[in-house]
Amino acid sequence: MPTIRSGGRNDRNILTSVSIALEAEGYRNHTYTDGASALDGFKTTLPDLAILDIKMPRMDGMETLRRLRQRIRLP
């Protein structure tokens, strides 16, 4: 089963809605409320897909992606 990791702003309603929709389609989903937590989560297992919010707290989605690309090869 593909794994999706998603991170978003402090709006738990949106994060929960996306999580429920993905799980209903059969995806295993892990959510994070900020970019730094998401990056820590990527240390243990890389996702098949990451959905990042540009305006996440502590570390925005663009910085999270930049740091992830430093560690592994991504498009």
Side-chain angles (χ1 to χ4, degrees), residues 2-57:
T3 300
I4 298 177
R5 298 194 184 244
S6 53
R9 289 181 263 179
N10 291 330
D11 189 339
R12 296 296 281 162
N13 291 334
I14 293 173
L15 199 54
T16 300
S17 296
V18 170
S19 181
I20 289 170
L22 291 170
E23 288 173 359
E25 293 297 320
Y27 295 98
R28 186 175 39 221
N29 185 42
H30 302 273
T31 59
Y32 303 95
T33 56
D34 62 77
S37 296
L39 202 56
D40 285 341
F42 295 156
K43 289 178 184 176
T44 57
T45 305
L46 287 175
D48 297 302
L49 173 70
I51 302 171
L52 303 171
D53 187 336
I54 296 293
K55 295 184 179 182
M56 290 188 292

